[in-house]
Coordinates of all heavy atoms in Angstrom, one line a residue:
H18 N -60.5 -108.6 -23.6 CA -60.4 -109.7 -24.5 C -59.9 -109.2 -25.9 O -60.3 -108.2 -26.3 CB -61.9 -110.3 -24.7 CG -62.6 -110.7 -23.5 ND1 -62.7 -112.0 -23.3 CD2 -63.2 -110.0 -22.6 CE1 -63.5 -112.1 -22.2 NE2 -63.7 -110.9 -21.6
Y19 N -58.7 -109.8 -26.3 CA -58.1 -109.3 -27.4 C -57.9 -110.5 -28.4 O -57.3 -111.5 -28.1 CB -56.6 -108.7 -27.1 CG -55.8 -108.5 -28.2 CD1 -56.3 -108.0 -29.5 CD2 -54.5 -108.7 -28.2 CE1 -55.4 -107.9 -30.6 CE2 -53.5 -108.5 -29.2 CZ -54.1 -108.0 -30.4 OH -53.3 -107.7 -31.5
S20 N -58.4 -110.3 -29.6 CA -58.3 -111.3 -30.7 C -57.8 -110.7 -31.9 O -57.9 -109.5 -32.1 CB -59.6 -112.0 -31.0 OG -60.6 -111.1 -31.5
Y21 N -56.9 -111.5 -32.6 CA -56.3 -111.0 -33.9 C -56.6 -112.0 -35.0 O -56.7 -113.2 -34.8 CB -55.0 -110.8 -33.7 CG -54.1 -112.0 -33.3 CD1 -53.6 -112.9 -34.2 CD2 -53.9 -112.1 -31.9 CE1 -52.9 -114.0 -33.7 CE2 -53.1 -113.3 -31.4 CZ -52.7 -114.1 -32.4 OH -52.0 -115.2 -31.9
D22 N -56.8 -111.5 -36.2 CA -56.9 -112.3 -37.5 C -56.1 -111.7 -38.6 O -56.4 -110.6 -39.1 CB -58.4 -112.3 -38.0 CG -58.6 -113.2 -39.1 OD1 -57.9 -114.2 -39.2 OD2 -59.7 -113.1 -39.6
I23 N -54.9 -112.4 -38.8 CA -53.9 -111.8 -39.6 C -53.8 -112.4 -41.0 O -53.8 -113.7 -41.1 CB -52.5 -111.9 -39.0 CG1 -52.5 -111.2 -37.6 CG2 -51.4 -111.5 -39.8 CD1 -51.2 -111.6 -36.7
H24 N -53.9 -111.6 -42.1 CA -53.6 -112.1 -43.5 C -52.5 -111.3 -44.0 O -51.9 -110.4 -43.5 CB -55.0 -111.8 -44.2 CG -56.2 -112.3 -43.6 ND1 -56.7 -113.6 -44.0 CD2 -57.0 -111.9 -42.6 CE1 -57.8 -113.9 -43.3 NE2 -58.0 -112.8 -42.4
R25 N -52.1 -111.7 -45.2 CA -51.0 -111.1 -45.9 C -51.1 -109.6 -46.1 O -50.1 -108.9 -45.8 CB -50.7 -111.8 -47.2 CG -50.3 -113.2 -47.3 CD -50.1 -113.7 -48.7 NE -49.8 -115.1 -48.5 CZ -48.5 -115.7 -48.5 NH1 -47.5 -114.8 -48.4 NH2 -48.3 -117.0 -48.5
D26 N -52.3 -109.2 -46.6 CA -52.4 -107.7 -46.9 C -53.1 -106.9 -45.9 O -53.1 -105.7 -46.0 CB -53.2 -107.6 -48.2 CG -54.6 -108.2 -48.1 OD1 -54.8 -108.9 -47.2 OD2 -55.4 -107.9 -49.1
H27 N -53.6 -107.6 -44.8 CA -54.2 -106.8 -43.7 C -54.4 -107.6 -42.5 O -54.3 -108.8 -42.5 CB -55.7 -106.3 -44.2 CG -56.6 -107.3 -44.2 ND1 -56.8 -108.3 -45.2 CD2 -57.7 -107.6 -43.3 CE1 -57.8 -109.1 -44.9 NE2 -58.5 -108.7 -43.8
S28 N -54.7 -107.0 -41.3 CA -55.0 -107.7 -40.2 C -56.1 -107.0 -39.4 O -56.2 -105.8 -39.5 CB -53.7 -107.8 -39.2 OG -53.2 -106.7 -39.0
V29 N -56.9 -107.8 -38.8 CA -58.0 -107.2 -37.9 C -57.9 -107.6 -36.5 O -57.6 -108.8 -36.1 CB -59.4 -107.8 -38.4 CG1 -60.5 -107.2 -37.6 CG2 -59.6 -107.4 -40.0
H30 N -58.0 -106.6 -35.5 CA -57.7 -106.8 -34.2 C -59.0 -106.2 -33.5 O -59.4 -105.2 -33.7 CB -56.6 -106.0 -33.7 CG -55.3 -106.2 -34.5 ND1 -54.3 -107.0 -34.1 CD2 -54.9 -105.9 -35.8 CE1 -53.4 -107.2 -35.1 NE2 -53.8 -106.5 -36.0
V31 N -59.5 -107.1 -32.5 CA -60.7 -106.7 -31.7 C -60.4 -106.8 -30.2 O -59.9 -107.7 -29.7 CB -61.8 -107.7 -32.0 CG1 -63.1 -107.2 -31.2 CG2 -62.2 -107.8 -33.5
I32 N -60.5 -105.5 -29.6 CA -60.3 -105.4 -28.3 C -61.6 -105.1 -27.5 O -62.2 -104.1 -27.8 CB -59.1 -104.3 -28.0 CG1 -57.9 -104.6 -28.8 CG2 -59.0 -104.0 -26.5 CD1 -56.9 -103.5 -28.8
R33 N -61.8 -105.9 -26.4 CA -63.2 -105.6 -25.7 C -62.9 -105.6 -24.3 O -62.3 -106.7 -23.8 CB -64.1 -106.6 -26.1 CG -65.5 -106.6 -25.2 CD -66.6 -107.5 -25.8 NE -66.1 -108.9 -25.6 CZ -66.2 -109.7 -24.6 NH1 -66.7 -109.2 -23.4 NH2 -65.9 -111.0 -24.5
D34 N -63.4 -104.6 -23.4 CA -63.3 -104.7 -22.1 C -64.7 -105.2 -21.5 O -65.7 -105.3 -22.2 CB -62.7 -103.3 -21.5 CG -63.7 -102.3 -21.8 OD1 -64.9 -102.3 -21.4 OD2 -63.2 -101.2 -22.5
E35 N -64.8 -105.3 -20.2 CA -66.0 -105.6 -19.4 C -66.6 -104.5 -18.7 O -67.3 -104.8 -17.8 CB -65.7 -106.9 -18.7 CG -65.3 -108.2 -19.4 CD -65.0 -109.3 -18.6 OE1 -64.9 -109.2 -17.4 OE2 -64.8 -110.4 -19.2
G36 N -66.2 -103.3 -19.1 CA -66.7 -102.1 -18.4 C -68.0 -101.7 -19.1 O -68.5 -102.2 -20.0
P37 N -68.5 -100.5 -18.6 CA -69.8 -99.8 -19.2 C -69.7 -99.3 -20.5 O -70.6 -99.0 -21.1 CB -70.2 -98.9 -18.1 CG -69.0 -98.5 -17.5 CD -67.9 -99.7 -17.6
G38 N -68.5 -99.1 -21.1 CA -68.3 -98.4 -22.4 C -68.1 -96.9 -22.1 O -68.1 -96.3 -21.0
F39 N -68.0 -96.2 -23.2 CA -67.8 -94.7 -23.2 C -68.4 -94.0 -24.4 O -68.7 -94.9 -25.4 CB -66.3 -94.4 -23.0 CG -65.5 -94.3 -24.3 CD1 -65.0 -93.2 -24.8 CD2 -65.3 -95.5 -25.0 CE1 -64.3 -93.2 -26.0 CE2 -64.6 -95.6 -26.1 CZ -64.0 -94.5 -26.6
N40 N -68.4 -92.8 -24.5 CA -69.0 -92.0 -25.6 C -67.9 -91.9 -26.6 O -67.3 -90.8 -26.7 CB -69.6 -90.7 -25.1 CG -70.2 -90.0 -26.4 OD1 -70.4 -90.5 -27.4 ND2 -70.7 -88.7 -26.0
W41 N -67.7 -92.8 -27.6 CA -66.7 -92.7 -28.5 C -67.0 -91.7 -29.7 O -66.0 -91.3 -30.3 CB -66.4 -94.1 -29.2 CG -67.6 -94.8 -29.6 CD1 -68.5 -95.7 -29.0 CD2 -68.2 -94.6 -31.0 NE1 -69.5 -96.1 -29.7 CE2 -69.4 -95.5 -30.9 CE3 -67.8 -94.1 -32.1 CZ2 -70.2 -95.6 -32.1 CZ3 -68.6 -94.2 -33.2 CH2 -69.7 -95.0 -33.2
R42 N -68.2 -91.5 -29.9 CA -68.5 -90.6 -30.9 C -67.9 -89.2 -30.9 O -67.6 -88.6 -31.9 CB -70.1 -90.5 -31.1 CG -70.7 -91.8 -31.4 CD -72.3 -91.8 -31.3 NE -73.0 -93.0 -31.6 CZ -73.1 -93.9 -30.5 NH1 -72.7 -93.7 -29.4 NH2 -73.6 -95.0 -30.9
E43 N -67.9 -88.6 -29.7 CA -67.3 -87.2 -29.5 C -65.9 -87.2 -30.0 O -65.4 -86.2 -30.4 CB -67.7 -86.7 -28.1 CG -66.9 -87.5 -27.1 CD -67.2 -86.9 -25.7 OE1 -68.2 -86.5 -25.4 OE2 -66.3 -87.0 -24.8
H44 N -65.2 -88.3 -29.6 CA -63.7 -88.3 -30.0 C -63.5 -88.6 -31.5 O -62.6 -88.0 -32.0 CB -63.1 -89.4 -29.3 CG -62.9 -89.2 -27.7 ND1 -62.4 -88.2 -27.1 CD2 -63.8 -89.9 -26.8 CE1 -62.5 -88.3 -25.9 NE2 -63.4 -89.3 -25.5
L45 N -64.3 -89.3 -32.2 CA -64.1 -89.7 -33.6 C -64.5 -88.3 -34.3 O -64.1 -88.1 -35.4 CB -65.0 -90.7 -34.0 CG -64.5 -92.2 -33.6 CD1 -65.5 -93.2 -34.2 CD2 -63.1 -92.4 -34.2
Q46 N -65.4 -87.6 -33.8 CA -65.9 -86.4 -34.4 C -64.9 -85.1 -34.2 O -65.0 -84.2 -34.9 CB -67.3 -86.0 -34.0 CG -68.4 -87.0 -34.4 CD -69.8 -86.7 -33.7 OE1 -69.8 -85.9 -32.9 NE2 -70.6 -87.5 -34.1
A47 N -64.0 -85.3 -33.3 CA -63.1 -84.1 -33.0 C -62.2 -83.9 -34.2 O -61.8 -85.0 -34.9 CB -62.3 -84.6 -31.8
G48 N -61.6 -82.8 -34.3 CA -60.7 -82.5 -35.4 C -59.2 -83.2 -35.3 O -58.9 -83.6 -34.2
D49 N -58.6 -83.3 -36.4 CA -57.3 -83.9 -36.3 C -56.2 -82.9 -35.9 O -55.0 -83.4 -35.7 CB -57.0 -84.6 -37.7 CG -57.8 -85.7 -38.0 OD1 -58.2 -86.5 -37.1 OD2 -58.3 -85.8 -39.3
D50 N -56.5 -81.7 -35.9 CA -55.4 -80.7 -35.7 C -55.1 -80.5 -34.2 O -56.0 -80.9 -33.3 CB -55.8 -79.3 -36.3 CG -56.0 -79.4 -37.8 OD1 -55.3 -80.3 -38.4 OD2 -56.9 -78.6 -38.3
G51 N -54.0 -80.0 -33.9 CA -53.6 -79.7 -32.5 C -52.9 -80.9 -31.9 O -52.9 -82.0 -32.4
P52 N -52.1 -80.7 -30.8 CA -51.3 -81.6 -30.2 C -52.1 -82.7 -29.5 O -53.4 -82.5 -29.1 CB -50.5 -80.8 -29.1 CG -51.4 -79.7 -28.8 CD -52.2 -79.4 -30.2
L53 N -51.7 -83.9 -29.2 CA -52.3 -85.0 -28.6 C -52.4 -84.7 -27.0 O -51.5 -84.1 -26.4 CB -51.6 -86.3 -28.8 CG -51.5 -86.9 -30.1 CD1 -50.7 -88.1 -30.1 CD2 -52.8 -87.3 -30.7
D54 N -53.5 -84.9 -26.5 CA -53.7 -84.8 -25.0 C -53.3 -86.1 -24.4 O -54.0 -87.1 -24.4 CB -55.1 -84.5 -24.7 CG -55.4 -84.3 -23.3 OD1 -54.4 -84.5 -22.4 OD2 -56.4 -83.8 -22.9
L55 N -52.1 -86.1 -23.7 CA -51.6 -87.4 -23.3 C -52.3 -87.9 -22.2 O -52.2 -89.1 -21.8 CB -50.1 -87.2 -22.8 CG -49.2 -86.7 -23.9 CD1 -47.8 -86.6 -23.5 CD2 -49.1 -87.8 -25.2
L56 N -53.2 -87.2 -21.5 CA -54.0 -87.7 -20.4 C -55.4 -87.8 -20.8 O -56.3 -88.1 -19.9 CB -53.9 -86.7 -19.2 CG -52.5 -86.7 -18.6 CD1 -52.5 -85.6 -17.4 CD2 -52.1 -87.9 -18.0
A57 N -55.8 -87.6 -22.1 CA -57.1 -87.6 -22.5 C -57.8 -89.1 -22.3 O -57.1 -90.0 -22.6 CB -57.4 -87.2 -23.9
E58 N -58.9 -89.1 -21.7 CA -59.6 -90.4 -21.6 C -60.0 -90.9 -22.9 O -61.0 -90.4 -23.5 CB -60.8 -90.3 -20.5 CG -61.5 -91.6 -20.3 CD -62.7 -91.4 -19.3 OE1 -62.7 -90.3 -18.8 OE2 -63.4 -92.4 -19.1
R59 N -59.4 -92.0 -23.4 CA -59.7 -92.7 -24.6 C -59.3 -91.8 -25.8 O -58.9 -92.3 -26.8 CB -61.2 -92.9 -24.7 CG -61.7 -93.9 -23.6 CD -61.5 -95.2 -24.0 NE -62.2 -96.2 -23.2 CZ -62.4 -97.4 -23.2 NH1 -62.1 -98.0 -24.4 NH2 -63.0 -98.2 -22.4
G60 N -59.3 -90.4 -25.8 CA -59.1 -89.7 -26.9 C -57.7 -89.8 -27.7 O -57.6 -90.0 -28.8
R61 N -56.6 -90.0 -26.8 CA -55.3 -90.2 -27.4 C -55.2 -91.5 -28.2 O -54.7 -91.5 -29.2 CB -54.3 -90.1 -26.2 CG -52.8 -90.4 -26.7 CD -51.9 -90.3 -25.6 NE -50.5 -90.5 -26.0 CZ -49.9 -91.6 -25.9 NH1 -50.5 -92.7 -25.5 NH2 -48.5 -91.8 -26.3
G62 N -55.8 -92.5 -27.6 CA -55.8 -93.8 -28.3 C -56.4 -93.7 -29.7 O -56.0 -94.3 -30.7

């Protein structure tokens, strides 16, 4: 499910799947340094 709400100065996009979810906290807490892992599950996105 993908919805968008577009305004002049910003836009908000919501993407929802119907799966069980994943542990997003560990990816957000990871450092910004280093190359992107092109095969990382969710991490690259």
Side-chain angles (χ1 to χ4, degrees):
H18 306 256
Y19 167 37
S20 63
Y21 56 86
D22 187 17
I23 298 173
H24 303 265
R25 292 178 184 274
D26 60 348
H27 76 286
S28 57
V29 178
H30 309 256
V31 180
I32 298 171
R33 176 175 61 85
D34 60 61
E35 297 179 349
F39 81 112
N40 184 7
W41 51 271
R42 295 172 183 83
E43 66 181 31
H44 294 292
L45 286 182
Q46 293 169 357
D49 293 326
D50 298 331
L53 293 175
D54 184 352
L55 299 181
L56 294 175
E58 182 179 356
R59 300 275 188 164
R61 178 175 182 265

